[in-house]
Amino acid sequence: MNFPEIASKLQDELIDIIESGKEVNEYELIVFKYLFISELKIPVHEELGVEITEDSFILYVIPDDLKLSRLSRLDDAFDRFTVTFLPNAYNILKLNFKLGD
């Protein structure tokens, strides 16, 4: 599978979780983190990783290892979400992907 295919399937899964209000366990969060790191080559922070809220998901990204072209591709692939940068006290990019209407 290539980047757009993986990102599309991941987007569909995250939308389903958010829209249904499904509880996500630690194992599922580890799988999402793995997919972002290994398949999409997004350097998600090992400990903070991925967080899912009632209307969005948040990625904690290590900026030193991030290629802006990857971030742009991710933004394009997750077209049902609006991406915003959230402030934090660490040297980590906190990206909020909010599900659109």
Side-chain angles (χ1 to χ4, degrees):
M1 283 190 173
N2 59 29
F3 188 100
E5 293 171 331
I6 294 167
S8 176
K9 288 182 185 238
L10 188 54
Q11 174 177 245
D12 291 344
E13 179 69 23
L14 288 164
I15 289 170
D16 182 51
I17 290 168
I18 291 168
E19 288 182 339
S20 69
K22 177 185 169 197
E23 290 291 322
V24 179
N25 63 38
E26 285 299 314
Y27 176 76
E28 291 170 308
L29 289 175
I30 290 169
V31 170
F32 287 129
K33 181 172 60 173
Y34 168 79
L35 288 171
F36 279 107
I37 293 171
S38 65
E39 300 298 323
L40 299 180
K41 307 297 185 226
I42 303 296
V44 176
H45 190 274
E46 282 292 323
E47 291 179 27
L48 300 173
V50 180
E51 178 183 342
I52 298 177
T53 65
E54 68 180 43
D55 66 349
S56 62
F57 72 94
I58 299 170
L59 289 181
Y60 295 87
V61 179
I62 303 167
D64 298 342
D65 299 331
L66 178 65
K67 293 182 179 166
L68 292 180
S69 61
R70 286 274 174 201
L71 185 59
S72 177
R73 287 182 74 188
L74 188 66
D75 184 32
D76 291 344
F78 282 77
D79 58 351
R80 297 266 321 271
F81 291 89
T82 302
V83 182
T84 55
F85 292 88
L86 300 174
N88 64 67
Y90 310 103
N91 187 22
I92 297 172
L93 287 178
K94 187 175 178 183
L95 304 175
N96 185 52
F97 288 77
K98 184 173 181 170
L99 185 59
D101 297 327

